[in-house]
Amino acid sequence: MTRYWWTYLPGHWGTMRPEYAPFRDSVKRVFQHVLGHFPVYRLRERPLLIFTTRRSGSTLLLHMLYTQPHTDYVNEPLNMWLLHPHYTLLPHPPLGKFVTLNDAEAVRLQQYLSRVLSGRLRVRNQWAFWRPYYSFVVHRLIIKVLNANVLIEWFSRAFDVDIIYLVRHPVAVASSIIRQGWEGIADAYLHDNLFCEAHVGKDLCVFAREVWVSGPPLQRFVLEWVLENLVPLRSLAMLPIGLITYEEIVTQPHRVARWLSEKYGFPKPEEMYRRVRFPSPTTAKSSSHLIREKGPATLVERALENVSAADLVLAQEVLDAFGIDLYRADVPWPLHSQSE
């Protein structure tokens, strides 16, 4: 069994995917982790959790909220594909997706997250002290949670936190993942019998598995989007969750910033609004150019430009099968919103 260099570091370092942890990048992450211990935590306000999926604009929203005084971010504390400083403290679910938990896994995850939320564990937080929004004294944590959408109700019960659910058009997300060349993770849901029984049903699970095995790429990744977002979308009416769409953020930043300020007590909405004008670090270079030239709303308007009519029909078939009514495949905007 190969033993990697980070296993000799003090702490609990590790990763599910060593091929995603090249030496130079890993050393950088260790260095950033050390610098992340410099801020003084005097936490006075409830943590704010952002639940979302990849390629949904979560980095932009995180950076908007980070403009507020006395905040620190925690960037993907459950992402174990990248080198993680507390890897051995966490359960290790298939493909890194927290879909269902047994009792022992629930206890282990709750213990880990309690330490993160209280500031006793630092993980992927602010480290660049020379940047303008850096806070040397922190009163509130903003935490971006990927890989655990299905557990959003569990989080709401287990912790005293505020929760935002961020979502983006399924075709835009699917197209972005395809362009990135990333592998799919729908197997984590389709092979979880408890998830299928509780949230999908036998017949629909058969349909989903057929799409995942033999469907064209866009339909397959729209299915992945549905599986990841199904539980949060169904939970909106039952849980105190704030819904924000990516499309709202980039086309109505003034209103979204004001809503965030009023609902969660952030004092400087104008700083959040100004941050939208700048591309996030995960934005592709071509998209960054468009944002600077024409504004972020351009990304919404062009999301469906290169998608064929046939692909849109197949995507809508998946949305209809699961009863998703927040988006239509052929319309780039959400059909309704909660943050109005």
Side-chain angles (χ1 to χ4, degrees), residues 90 116 154 233 261 281 285:
L90 282 159
V116 172
W154 179 83
L233 287 173
S261 177
K285 289 184 179 180

Side-chain angles (χ1 to χ4, degrees), residues 295-339:
T298 307
L299 299 183
V300 176
E301 296 163 357
R302 68 192 287 263
L304 308 183
E305 277 184 0
N306 298 317
V307 182
S308 70
D311 274 338
L312 291 175
V313 169
L314 291 174
Q316 188 62 47
E317 179 184 352
V318 173
L319 299 179
D320 289 341
F322 284 86
I324 303 297
D325 62 1
L326 179 59
Y327 290 100
R328 278 195 55 83
D330 57 352
V331 178
W333 313 96
L335 303 184
H336 56 85
S337 166
Q338 191 184 56
S339 60

